[in-house]
Amino acid sequence: ALVVQSIGGGGGTVNSIGGTATLGANSSGNLSAGAITLNGPFAAQTEGINSPGVVLQSIGGGGGLAADVDGDQINFGTLGTANTSAADVTAISRNWQISTLGVNSPGLILQSIGGGGGVAYTSTASVDLGGAVTGNTSSGDISLTSKFDSRITTTGVSSPAVIAQTIGGGGGYVGGDGSGTSDNVKLGGTGRQIGNSGAIDLFFSGGSTLITTGVQSQGIIAQSVGGGGGFTSQNGDAMLL
């Protein structure tokens, strides 16, 4: 329903891809990302598969969001010597109403990732989230303030209510429904990286509600990871985080 991205180094959003999906370019210099803030009352509802409600991403070094990839390989991240740091992501809810019905459809995703990465949904493709970077791969802080009667509801498989990740060194979130197996799933970049992860601050007032009914659908996933990594619900013959 709503995707807001600040990405340095190439990338964005792709949907319904066969073959190989690559988000990120070979480059050097300043590939850092800016800060994102979302504030105010609103409603967001999705009904299809691979359809998150709200996605906020600050990603340095390339990447973004890839939904419904049925090909062989997903690659996120850049190759080069560069500053690929990410900035803060802030969400302040005032009576938010977020609802998703499909498989692989989280309610709210907040990501600050330095070194390349993001979110990918697949049941068969191999996944590599994180670039081959020499330089600064630090990530920013994540802040979520849920006020008044805000509500997030998901009903599908592999559909957490809230995903909050600050990752220095590349990575992110890989969603899968468990119906297939890829050759490999790799979360984290390579190269001579200098990067720390930021802090996570989640506040839910008494009127806030989080509801998930599908399997592999956590209420909250909160991760601050230095050195690359993240979370995956996709099966793989080889896993590296």
Side-chain angles (χ1 to χ4, degrees):
L2 175 65
V3 178
V4 181
Q5 297 173 314
S6 175
I7 301 175
T13 302
V14 295
N15 298 283
S16 300
I17 298 296
T20 298
T22 299
L23 296 181
N26 297 339
S27 187
S28 61
N30 184 9
L31 307 179
S32 60
I36 293 176
T37 298
L38 179 64
N39 185 355
F42 70 90
Q45 180 175 342
T46 68
E47 298 181 357
I49 64 172
N50 307 311
S51 301
V54 176
V55 180
L56 308 180
Q57 294 178 312
S58 174
I59 302 174
L65 171 65
D68 195 17
V69 179
D70 293 327
D72 299 323
Q73 181 74 38
I74 303 171
N75 300 313
F76 281 12
T78 190
L79 171 64
T81 300
N83 173 14
T84 61
S85 60
D88 297 344
V89 175
T90 302
I92 303 171
S93 72
R94 289 182 173 85
N95 194 30
W96 286 11
Q97 303 296 315
I98 301 174
S99 173
T100 70
L101 302 180
V103 173
N104 295 335
S105 300
L108 173 64
I109 301 174
L110 310 172
Q111 289 184 320
S112 175
I113 302 176
V119 177
Y121 300 109
T122 182
S123 293
T124 58
S126 293
V127 181
D128 188 348
L129 300 188
V133 176
T134 298
N136 182 7
T137 60
S138 297
S139 58
D141 295 336
I142 299 289
S143 177
L144 169 62
T145 302
S146 180
K147 298 181 178 180
F148 306 117
D149 295 326
S150 293
R151 183 184 183 94
I152 300 176
T153 304
T154 73
T155 61
V157 173
S158 190
S159 300
V162 176
I163 300 171
Q165 294 178 312
T166 171
I167 302 174
Y173 176 85
V174 181
D177 60 9
S179 63
T181 301
S182 63
D183 289 337
N184 63 79
V185 176
K186 175 178 173 288
L187 301 183
T190 60
R192 304 180 66 177
Q193 301 181 359
I194 303 173
N196 300 317
S197 58
I200 296 178
D201 182 15
L202 306 179
F203 172 79
F204 296 91
S205 69
S208 300
T209 304
L210 304 178
I211 299 174
T212 68
T213 59
V215 299
Q216 301 175 6
S217 299
Q218 299 81 0
I220 299 173
I221 297 174
Q223 294 180 305
S224 176
V225 182
F231 185 95
T232 178
S233 58
Q234 162 67 342
N235 296 319
D237 291 333
M239 312 286 286
L240 178 62
L241 280 75

